[in-house]
Amino acid sequence: MCGITGILSFNNASVSFSSIYSMTQTINHRGPDGEGFLIVNPTKTTLFHQPIQSQNSEGFGFLALGHKRLSILDLSDRGLQPMSYQSSWIVYNGEVYNYKELKVELEALGHQFITSTDTEVILAAYNQWGKACVERLNGMFAFAIYDSIKTKLFLARDRFGIKPLYYFYNGSYFLFASEAKALLQHPIVDRSPDLAQCQHIAQKGNCEWESDTPFKSIKRFPSASFLELDCKNANQLSFVNYWKPQVYSQRHQYNEAEFNHLTDEYFRLLNESLVIRLRSDVTVGSALSGGLDSSSLVYLVNQHLSGQQAHDLQKTFSNVYRNENLAHFDESKFMHELAHKLKLNAFFTEPNADLLPLIYPKLIWHMDFPPADSCMSGWHVYQLAAQNNVKVTIDGQGADEILAGYNRYFVNHLANSGLGGFAMEAIQLKHNSGKGQSFVIASLVLNLVKRIISQQKLENSLIKKQRNPDMILPLNDRLAFDTTHELVNLLHYSDRLSMAHSVESRLPFLDNHLVDFVLNVPACYKIHNGFTKYLARKAFSNHLPANIVWRKDKMGFPNGDAYWFKGQHKQWMEDEINGSRLLKELNVSNGRNSYSINDRVRQLNIALWERVFL
């Protein structure tokens, strides 16, 4: 896990070492264990590795690459980047978990390796398969490869957008970096806000899957895509998408024997995904929320520990709320039960509300863009991991989107069910989940209307009424949509919150083989008997406590925003909002009483973002 930067000039030999150096130092938190720089000009290539003596080190070229290293695999200096292999150089952020299998395949094809890193395997894969190499990579990644024979720069990003990548392009320069703030260090990058993006964040929240960002001149590199640039000739950017989710959308009859087979296969694939994500030369811990997803992963990690001595116990990190006003968010009873059952080395933390105004601007700086809430739970969990010398955590992000874990998915499922199945599921929904009238009535209306008018007409009608048209999609289609859209916001948060503390967050539920399988599991096996995530619940019903497996009160990583900002920090929040010129320009009425606390927190985040960056 690392941070990467790059500058390509199409005007030749006009990129200095000092410019790439200043960009790279801005993201030191992403890789405090080492750094390296590459300057390429038409006659020579110059490599700078730590310790860098001076920002004024010599070096001018048409291409500069920078790298900050968080050492996870092969902790020796052989793992330093930029790294070369034959005629290519790479800067890379992320982990390719199937690198050992790829390495065996590449060795059989005649490739030789001098490191035990996944970085060198990516370079060899590019050398062997060219641009098609990305289709073979199972992991999270954003990288840039300079091919000195073709004089081309090849950039790629993982399927789900787990690892970030941003760019600036004006026809003369192409700049890229793991975080937008690094691009802002270059004088040609304008800090002006994109008012349309800021307005959307203020009203509805983030859209991390879109190209545009709150900075007018900075764009997001699309996930599941690659880009090849001719270093000699500026041209239009042409991104190539190499993966899209394929789903099973048909109505399907529940079959117990088939369900049991699918449950076994799901367990096998998740276990395989977890095993390769335990590959590390440093300690791996787990983030534990007390829900099914993180508990499932913690259980699987325990199965693969080599010993049961105190120093071998799995370290888990959790956020709790001991304040009685936030007790409804507290999941510690589930965490303690699991810790006792699995003999975990469990660590707990709680946000200190008194420190919120001090922490908050720092969090906004790490986020790059205004988030939708305070993100305090995640911030403190990764801080706790770092304080206990854990550099890698296993996290449950992505499970809800592929397995139908949110209550909103009841509507998609029921709206696309047969009427017989609808009646049975509606009864079970009320009985087993305690969800009642609103879900059933909305679903029944949509189910009946879909039988009368076309899907497109119904979508248009919902849009006109300012309702979400995604609610009428077949369940698996909705899951695929959310996996490539709403989930990307959460992935942005988890990346920034973990990397702010130099911790690598690994996500077993976003293994591409597992995702491809689950999105083709019929909907009737995901929502059944009135329960969300039925497939996953049954898969772990014999391994985890029943009150965790069959929990109805899903929380995730809740924050105490309403309590903090309606009480202790209300005046601080109002002062920040009222002092924001950007919010005034966005026509956000500062004194309006009809704003919800969620609206107000988003406005606070915009005001702090303005103060930090603009």
Side-chain angles (χ1 to χ4, degrees):
M1 185 68 66
C2 306
I4 64 175
T5 57
I7 309 171
L8 173 61
S9 168
F10 299 102
N11 297 325
N12 229 0
S14 59
V15 178
S16 68
F17 175 86
S18 61
S19 59
I20 194 69
Y21 182 86
S22 62
M23 287 171 57
T24 309
Q25 294 309 306
T26 307
I27 53 173
N28 184 68
H29 51 279
R30 297 192 74 90
D33 299 332
E35 64 185 358
F37 305 88
L38 187 75
I39 304 293
V40 182
N41 67 40
T43 59
K44 68 174 181 177
T45 297
T46 306
L47 178 66
F48 301 91
H49 270 154
Q50 73 174 93
I52 305 300
Q53 299 300 323
S54 168
Q55 287 193 43
N56 299 318
S57 299
E58 293 183 3
F60 286 85
F62 63 83
L63 175 66
L65 302 177
H67 186 263
K68 296 296 300 187
R69 185 188 187 199
L70 185 64
S71 302
I72 303 295
L73 295 174
D74 193 338
L75 308 185
S76 72
D77 286 349
R78 293 176 304 179
L80 288 171
Q81 299 180 40
M83 182 184 291
S84 64
Y85 184 91
Q86 298 185 6
S87 60
S88 300
W89 291 85
I90 190 173
V91 286
Y92 156 53
N93 168 33
E95 298 287 351
V96 169
Y97 304 111
N98 64 331
Y99 74 100
K100 289 187 176 182
E101 290 77 11
L102 288 174
K103 191 172 187 176
V104 171
E105 185 178 356
L106 288 162
E107 284 175 332
L109 293 169
H111 291 270
Q112 297 180 334
F113 298 89
I114 61 173
T115 78
S116 56
T117 66
D118 56 335
T119 310
E120 191 179 20
V121 172
I122 295 174
L123 278 168
Y126 173 79
N127 180 274
Q128 179 66 40
W129 298 302
K131 293 177 284 190
C133 69
V134 293
E135 298 174 19
R136 295 172 175 262
L137 307 180
N138 182 350
M140 53 183 185
F141 54 84
F143 62 76
I145 294 176
Y146 171 63
D147 188 326
S148 65
I149 300 297
K150 297 179 180 178
T151 323
K152 290 187 175 181
L153 187 66
F154 177 69
L155 300 100
R157 194 173 176 211
D158 67 71
R159 292 168 179 82
F160 307 105
I162 303 172
K163 290 294 99 188
L165 191 59
Y166 301 89
Y167 69 92
F168 165 89
Y169 180 61
N170 66 356
S172 298
Y173 284 91
F174 178 84
L175 282 65
F176 66 87
S178 296
E179 297 184 12
K181 65 177 68 69
L183 298 176
L184 294 175
Q185 298 305 304
H186 200 288
I188 65 173
V189 179
D190 183 11
R191 289 175 177 260
S192 297
D194 184 317
L195 296 181
Q197 285 292 309
C198 293
Q199 185 74 57
H200 191 281
I201 290 173
Q203 294 177 340
K204 299 181 180 180
N206 308 70
C207 293
E208 289 292 335
W209 58 89
E210 291 185 350
S211 173
D212 292 338
T213 76
F215 294 107
K216 190 182 296 184
S217 61
I218 296 176
K219 306 294 182 185
R220 292 184 187 89
F221 195 102
S223 57
S225 298
F226 63 77
L227 172 69
E228 188 175 60
L229 295 171
D230 185 337
C231 296
K232 296 180 180 179
N233 301 295
N235 210 326
Q236 275 194 321
L237 303 185
S238 180
F239 297 98
V240 178
N241 178 272
Y242 64 86
W243 177 86
K244 287 183 180 178
Q246 303 298 313
V247 304
Y248 181 88
S249 302
Q250 288 76 23
R251 196 177 292 167
H252 193 86
Q253 187 71 34
Y254 184 93
N255 178 279
E256 191 68 24
E258 182 181 41
F259 174 67
N260 290 335
H261 168 72
L262 292 172
T263 301
D264 292 341
E265 183 67 2
Y266 165 75
F267 189 94
R268 182 186 71 81
L269 287 170
L270 180 59
N271 186 57
E272 286 184 359
S273 171
L274 185 281
V275 168
I276 62 175
R277 281 163 177 78
L278 290 177
R279 291 172 173 173
S280 171
D281 293 329
V282 297
T283 302
V284 178
S286 298
L288 176 62
S289 71
L292 174 65
D293 307 329
S294 62
S295 297
S296 300
L297 296 177
V298 167
Y299 169 83
L300 291 175
V301 170
N302 250 36
Q303 303 309 299
H304 298 285
L305 292 178
S306 58
Q308 290 298 319
Q309 298 303 314
H311 63 279
D312 292 323
L313 297 181
Q314 180 184 180
K315 292 182 178 180
T316 62
F317 305 98
S318 305
N319 190 78
V320 298
Y321 289 99
R322 299 180 180 92
N323 185 311
E324 62 179 14
N325 296 293
L326 295 170
H328 55 289
F329 284 153
D330 189 66
E331 299 181 87
S332 56
K333 68 175 183 179
F334 301 108
M335 301 168 191
H336 287 302
E337 181 177 0
L338 194 68
H340 177 74
K341 177 180 175 64
L342 300 181
K343 297 181 173 62
L344 305 175
N345 191 4
F347 296 84
F348 302 94
T349 187
E350 183 175 16
N352 184 339
D354 294 340
L355 299 179
L356 200 67
L358 297 176
I359 297 173
Y360 219 120
K362 185 178 180 180
L363 181 144
I364 296 295
W365 184 84
H366 279 286
M367 282 290 180
D368 270 347
F369 315 127
D373 57 44
S374 73
C375 300
M376 281 294 118
S377 289
W379 176 273
H380 285 83
V381 165
Y382 293 117
Q383 183 182 65
L384 183 65
Q387 289 169 344
N388 287 278
N389 302 311
V390 169
K391 296 175 72 172
V392 176
T393 60
I394 299 296
D395 298 313
Q397 201 71 267
D400 289 312
E401 287 77 11
I402 65 171
L403 289 159
Y406 297 121
N407 288 331
R408 64 175 180 257
Y409 296 136
F410 281 119
V411 176
N412 291 89
H413 181 53
L414 292 173
N416 290 278
S417 298
L419 290 180
F422 179 99
M424 181 61 68
E425 194 68 60
I427 293 170
Q428 293 167 331
L429 170 61
K430 176 66 175 174
H431 181 263
N432 290 333
S433 288
K435 309 297 176 189
Q437 234 169 305
S438 60
F439 280 117
V440 173
I441 292 174
S443 303
L444 179 60
V445 170
L446 291 171
N447 193 305
L448 294 174
V449 171
K450 282 179 65 117
R451 298 168 187 274
I452 301 170
I453 65 174
S454 69
Q455 180 96 357
Q456 188 61 56
K457 285 184 178 180
L458 181 53
E459 285 184 15
N460 293 340
S461 175
L462 289 170
I463 292 171
K464 285 181 181 178
K465 295 177 181 178
Q466 297 186 324
R467 302 294 300 275
N468 186 358
D470 303 334
M471 68 174 68
I472 62 171
L473 291 173
L475 179 62
N476 277 342
D477 292 77
R478 174 68 185 273
L479 299 181
F481 180 84
D482 284 359
T483 299
T484 54
H485 290 75
E486 296 297 332
L487 174 61
V488 185
N489 285 335
L490 304 180
L491 297 179
H492 173 88
Y493 299 158
S494 62
D495 172 81
R496 300 314 170 84
L497 295 170
S498 59
M499 294 307 294
H501 302 288
S502 304
V503 172
E504 173 177 298
S505 169
R506 296 182 174 182
L507 311 176
F509 287 105
L510 292 183
D511 181 283
N512 55 286
H513 299 299
L514 177 65
V515 172
D516 287 341
F517 165 76
V518 172
L519 290 181
N520 281 280
V521 170
C524 62
Y525 300 125
K526 293 176 184 173
I527 292 183
H528 186 67
N529 281 345
F531 284 102
T532 60
K533 217 183 298 184
Y534 194 70
L535 178 78
R537 293 179 193 267
K538 288 294 288 187
F540 283 87
S541 60
N542 294 324
H543 304 297
L544 295 173
N547 64 336
I548 292 178
V549 171
W550 301 104
R551 277 185 67 182
K552 302 173 184 178
D553 56 332
K554 177 177 177 53
M555 293 187 193
F557 272 101
N559 294 297
D561 293 359
Y563 175 68
W564 296 326
F565 295 120
K566 284 182 177 179
Q568 179 179 358
H569 296 302
K570 180 178 181 180
Q571 191 57 53
W572 173 71
M573 176 184 72
E574 294 298 332
D575 290 344
E576 292 288 346
I577 291 174
N578 291 332
S580 169
R581 288 186 292 179
L582 178 56
L583 287 173
K584 289 183 175 68
E585 191 172 357
L586 296 176
N587 294 318
V588 174
S589 175
N590 293 345
R592 182 173 152 193
N593 294 323
S594 60
Y595 283 123
S596 69
I597 190 62
N598 293 333
D599 293 331
R600 223 54 180 147
V601 174
R602 287 198 299 269
Q603 292 165 17
L604 169 64
N605 292 346
I606 291 173
L608 290 174
W609 178 76
E610 176 187 11
R611 173 150 69 86
V612 169
F613 286 106
L614 305 184

